[in-house]
Amino acid sequence: MRKYILLFILAVISLATNAQTTEPNRILVTDKLGSYTSYNINDIDTIGFATVEGSVAADVKVLGYAQGKGTASDTIWMAVTKTPACYTYKILVLPTNTAKQITTDLMAEAYMNRYGAIRQWDDFTNAQMTGFDKKFKPGTSYTVVTVGHDGYDTPCEFRTAEFTTPEAQLVGNPQVTCEVTKVTPTTITYKFTPNADVKKYTYRQFDHKGGAMDEFEYWGPMFGTDNLGDYIIRNNYTYDGEEEYTYDGLMPGHEYEIAILALDANDNYAPITYTYATTEQKGGTGEAKVDITIGDFKQDAASGDYIQRVIFTPNDQTLKYHAALFTTKNDGTEWTEEEILTYLKSDNNPNFPPFFQDPNWDIIDVDDSYWTLDTNLTFTAAAIAQNANGEWGPLTKVTATTPDAPNAAKTMKAGKKMPQRMFTKQVNPIPNMSAMKQMMPAKKTGIQLIAK
């Protein structure tokens, strides 16, 4: 195998030489994460291969944890045992929700390099890890991560050990009672009543049972939140008295979870409590269908864009429906009925940015919107609906042409993108990608692992 790899390297260099007017003077080695290391060919003496037998890892076990008093650093007690083939290892402490993002040895080493993990050579039976630049959060799960290196300093296997910090000592018994006061097919109204031990509280609704934890595990590492309480309170309003709030734009017949976080007099988090509510069902078991009416065409005074009014009206059997306007595709061809059906039956708007849900994709009631369209443009308005059993009804479509306005400034080239509504319904906020920040582990350069 080594001969074949060497022959491959030589072949690559030979091909590159033949393909260029000058000889290559760099060797690029790219790993499976897409990162590469560049070498100046003139600085390379030899390219060799080696074999290391056995596992290369540093097994770790957390023995205890203590919070430092005052400004003193927290301390973790642990045991670390290298495998026979492990020469040295790197060690790092991360919030568990961040550590769960590590799925390969290469990813683990990337985290080590990003956060400047300390390197160790020795085994420990009862070592102290200290020197952290910030306190660990109460009642939060953290993970110690190690990456073993062999005698060639090759990063190899990673190992992990979880521990959970003690809950904070609460002042009193802060609790918030949550009552569901009204439910419709598209709204849920909650009433929140805090007791006297609550300094302040907040709440957030999620779109399924267990949604709070699912969303925290997905978004938490990117937003820099160590625990679910931090995630729920982040960028959220807090209240200190009785509060009533209505969530709207919801899906009929759908169960929602609302998580309530109360804080005591010292701003410590009380255990999160949950309330579940299901919106009223809508639609029937018959054929779900949407009628389409083409309205007026005009120039928007604010933007100068030309806009076309289209009204989508579902029948009484409809639970939800998808609707869009179709012009010529990017390649200049027309949309076929099969392509329109595939587009409209998608779970999320195919024209929406990846990883985000279009809040207007599932439409419940009449949709009376203006869409941005060019003048003298032929378009097809199409919609398809589901009934209460989730069965799709027939495709409805209407083709029309916008009026000509010879002196009008063009606002959109046909087929470059799907026409967009001129307004957005009120919906629950989507996490703002631009607000993301890197997850920083609780450590600093002065961190130490010492035998005791």
Side-chain angles (χ1 to χ4, degrees), residues 197-441:
D197 293 330
V198 176
K199 176 182 177 181
K200 58 184 177 181
Y201 67 94
T202 190
Y203 53 86
R204 184 176 292 186
Q205 182 176 265
F206 300 89
D207 65 1
H208 65 279
K209 194 170 187 178
M213 184 57 67
D214 290 344
E215 195 170 300
F216 162 67
E217 290 183 347
Y218 184 84
W219 291 105
M222 294 182 241
F223 284 116
T225 50
D226 291 14
N227 54 49
L228 181 56
D230 285 351
Y231 183 78
I232 291 173
I233 203 171
R234 182 185 183 276
N235 292 340
N236 237 18
Y237 291 110
T238 57
Y239 308 89
D240 57 9
E242 191 172 88
E243 170 76 11
E244 191 168 50
Y245 186 79
T246 299
Y247 284 92
D248 59 9
L250 306 182
M251 181 58 58
H254 189 83
E255 184 181 45
Y256 290 86
E257 171 182 272
I258 192 162
I260 305 103
L261 174 67
L263 284 71
D264 71 2
N266 293 331
D267 289 332
N268 292 315
Y269 297 162
I272 296 168
T273 58
Y274 300 90
T275 296
Y276 303 94
T278 302
T279 51
E280 292 180 350
Q281 188 57 272
K282 183 179 180 293
T285 58
E287 182 181 81
K289 188 177 180 181
V290 181
D291 289 330
I292 303 173
T293 303
I294 306 299
D296 59 305
F297 180 80
K298 64 182 182 180
Q299 187 172 25
D300 181 59
S303 65
D305 292 340
Y306 282 89
I307 53 177
Q308 173 67 60
R309 184 184 181 191
V310 181
I311 305 168
F312 297 92
T313 306
N315 68 0
D316 61 355
Q317 300 301 300
T318 298
L319 168 65
K320 66 177 182 179
Y321 65 97
H322 297 160
L325 268 57
F326 298 83
T327 59
T328 307
K329 293 189 296 183
N330 288 339
D331 60 4
T333 61
E334 300 296 328
W335 288 77
T336 66
E337 184 167 305
E338 182 178 356
E339 289 171 333
I340 291 175
L341 280 170
T342 299
Y343 187 100
L344 292 178
K345 287 184 177 181
S346 299
D347 291 336
N348 188 26
N349 186 347
N351 197 45
F352 213 66
F355 309 113
F356 288 95
Q357 187 73 25
D358 181 353
N360 295 319
W361 186 237
D362 290 332
I363 310 172
I364 307 301
D365 299 313
V366 174
D367 185 275
D368 188 344
S369 305
Y370 281 93
W371 299 68
T372 303
L373 283 179
D374 204 354
T375 58
N376 194 25
L377 178 68
T378 299
F379 66 94
T380 297
I384 190 168
Q386 277 187 346
N387 64 13
N389 290 337
E391 299 166 338
W392 291 107
L395 173 69
T396 305
K397 60 180 183 176
V398 175
T399 299
T401 300
T402 58
D404 189 17
N407 298 322
K410 300 291 185 179
T411 60
M412 173 181 165
K413 296 294 184 181
K416 294 302 181 183
K417 62 179 180 179
M418 294 294 292
Q420 298 294 312
R421 291 177 177 85
M422 287 296 292
F423 75 97
T424 303
K425 300 183 183 67
Q426 184 178 0
V427 295
N428 294 328
I430 300 174
N432 181 5
M433 290 290 286
S434 63
M436 289 182 180
K437 57 183 179 182
Q438 293 293 337
M439 180 66 233
M440 294 299 295

Side-chain angles (χ1 to χ4, degrees), residues 28-244:
L28 305 180
V29 179
T30 305
D31 63 26
K32 291 182 178 180
L33 292 179
S35 300
Y36 71 88
T37 303
S38 174
Y39 299 90
N40 189 323
I41 290 178
N42 296 325
D43 295 334
I44 297 176
D45 180 62
T46 59
I47 297 176
F49 299 90
T51 300
V52 175
E53 301 291 347
S55 174
V56 180
D59 295 310
V60 59
K61 182 179 181 181
V62 176
L63 306 176
Y65 162 81
Q67 186 179 54
K69 295 181 179 180
T71 59
S73 169
D74 292 358
T75 301
I76 306 169
W77 283 266
M78 65 183 70
V80 185
T81 305
K82 304 194 310 294
T83 60
C86 183
Y87 179 71
T88 183
Y89 59 91
K90 295 179 182 178
I91 188 167
L92 184 66
V93 182
L94 294 167
T96 295
N97 70 325
T98 300
K100 285 182 177 179
Q101 308 302 310
I102 301 174
T103 57
T104 66
D105 300 327
L106 278 176
M107 287 181 64
E109 178 66 8
Y111 272 81
M112 296 292 169
N113 295 333
R114 178 184 298 175
Y115 298 127
I118 61 173
R119 185 188 291 269
Q120 293 290 320
W121 286 260
D122 300 319
D123 288 350
F124 295 97
T125 57
N126 187 23
Q128 289 183 358
M129 193 173 190
T130 187
F132 302 101
D133 65 349
K134 63 180 181 180
K135 299 290 187 181
F136 289 86
K137 300 289 183 69
T140 301
S141 178
Y142 291 89
T143 299
V144 181
V145 184
T146 64
V147 174
H149 285 235
D150 61 22
Y152 300 98
D153 201 26
T154 309
C156 297
E157 301 169 39
F158 79 98
R159 295 285 188 269
T160 62
E162 283 186 41
F163 69 97
T164 301
T165 56
E167 296 285 350
Q169 294 296 315
L170 296 175
V171 178
N173 183 29
Q175 291 185 346
V176 178
T177 301
C178 178
E179 178 187 2
V180 179
T181 59
K182 185 179 180 181
V183 174
T184 73
T186 59
T187 67
I188 300 175
T189 301
Y190 301 92
K191 182 179 180 181
F192 306 93
T193 307
N195 67 9
D197 293 330
V198 176
K199 176 182 177 181
K200 58 184 177 181
Y201 67 94
T202 190
Y203 53 86
R204 184 176 292 186
Q205 182 176 265
F206 300 89
D207 65 1
H208 65 279
K209 194 170 187 178
M213 184 57 67
D214 290 344
E215 195 170 300
F216 162 67
E217 290 183 347
Y218 184 84
W219 291 105
M222 294 182 241
F223 284 116
T225 50
D226 291 14
N227 54 49
L228 181 56
D230 285 351
Y231 183 78
I232 291 173
I233 203 171
R234 182 185 183 276
N235 292 340
N236 237 18
Y237 291 110
T238 57
Y239 308 89
D240 57 9
E242 191 172 88
E243 170 76 11
E244 191 168 50

